[in-house]
Amino acid sequence: GKSTLCAVGLWIDISINIIKLPDLQDLNKELLGRVIIARSVLFAQLEGVDYLIIGFGDGHMTNYIFDTNTGQLSNKKEISLGTQSISLKKFKYKGSTQVFACSDRPTIIYSKYKKLGFSTVNLPGVIYMTEFDNPSFRESLALATEKSLTIGTIDDIQKLHVRTIHLGERPIRICYQEQSKTFCVLTTKTLFTDKGTKSQQFYIKLFN
């Protein structure tokens, strides 16, 4: 359905305003008590509890329990996730809503027994995240850093597992065998002789 509330971060007094839509009626104003401005503001309902989550430019995050009827905020909690600006994005995993905090130390925010949990992601410097789901990558996330794009899945302990293997050659094909839980990678490498001629070598590598 249509959104009925909006949260707006103000620079002048470092505050959050809760505004009712569509008439833009002010419901609540919360002074954040910080000198760094809010960079990302997100409403999220986790395990039936409504939260307002705020990411700041210095890597800190604040969350409130949010009353959707009155716009009032309560139960303020703060946590440091890193040192760089935070960008918040919701996603679905196994039918439940979770929040991805993009930053120099990206973190997944989830709820268990109606308490927020935080799991770090093994991929530093994520600047953007979006859901990615197709027959080859079920319930996956596409994560962008300044130098790479990674597609990964989240396991039951709420962590994204990314393993980097330096091949020393250029990969040209990859496949996965479910029975043996192994990856097969076809790589190529160009070799030069003392006379200046070159040859193309191909390799097959297995990883588990």
Side-chain angles (χ1 to χ4, degrees):
K2 293 183 178 179
S3 299
T4 59
L5 296 172
C6 175
V8 179
L10 300 181
W11 290 40
I12 297 175
D13 55 4
I14 316 295
S15 67
I16 290 291
N17 279 24
I18 307 300
I19 299 173
K20 185 177 180 180
L21 302 176
D23 56 1
L24 301 181
Q25 175 188 351
D26 287 330
L27 293 182
N28 185 26
K29 181 175 182 176
E30 184 79 13
L31 296 175
L32 299 176
R34 301 186 60 84
V35 296
I36 303 297
I37 63 173
R39 292 291 187 179
S40 185
V41 181
L42 182 73
F43 289 126
Q45 187 179 81
L46 309 178
E47 284 194 317
V49 180
D50 291 295
Y51 293 93
L52 175 65
I53 306 174
I54 305 167
F56 293 91
D58 60 355
H60 284 75
M61 192 196 79
T62 298
N63 66 83
Y64 298 87
I65 291 179
F66 175 62
D67 189 319
T68 58
N69 294 316
T70 66
Q72 296 301 306
L73 303 174
S74 61
N75 200 29
K76 178 181 179 180
K77 294 185 178 179
E78 298 180 334
I79 186 173
S80 176
L81 300 183
T83 60
Q84 303 299 317
S85 182
I86 293 175
S87 176
L88 301 167
K89 187 76 180 290
K90 284 187 290 189
F91 67 97
K92 288 279 190 179
Y93 178 64
K94 293 186 176 180
S96 66
T97 300
Q98 302 188 19
V99 176
F100 196 101
C102 302
S103 70
D104 56 322
R105 288 170 51 195
T107 301
I108 293 170
I109 306 162
Y110 62 97
S111 179
K112 190 171 185 179
Y113 305 119
K114 297 190 181 298
K115 291 186 177 182
L116 293 187
F118 304 88
S119 291
T120 57
V121 175
N122 188 28
L123 183 66
V126 174
I127 58 177
Y128 193 79
M129 181 282 298
T130 189
E131 294 178 86
F132 188 88
D133 185 47
N134 69 21
S136 299
F137 298 93
R138 289 299 187 189
E139 290 196 313
S140 298
L141 301 178
L143 307 175
T145 69
E146 289 186 351
K147 296 182 179 180
S148 68
L149 174 66
T150 300
I151 298 173
T153 58
I154 306 169
D155 64 13
D156 289 332
I157 61 172
Q158 306 293 330
K159 289 188 177 180
L160 182 75
H161 291 283
V162 179
R163 177 186 173 193
T164 300
I165 299 174
H166 298 283
L167 299 172
E169 301 103 30
R170 181 169 65 90
I172 55 177
R173 293 289 188 277
I174 183 170
C175 65
Y176 177 71
Q177 186 182 54
E178 176 67 28
Q179 294 86 346
S180 62
K181 308 292 184 184
T182 57
F183 288 91
C184 179
V185 183
L186 176 64
T187 66
T188 182
K189 187 175 185 179
T190 302
L191 301 177
F192 292 89
T193 66
D194 295 337
K195 297 181 180 180
T197 60
K198 65 179 182 179
S199 63
Q200 201 79 8
Q201 299 290 322
F202 295 90
Y203 307 88
I204 295 177
K205 298 188 175 184
L206 297 175
F207 303 96
N208 55 22

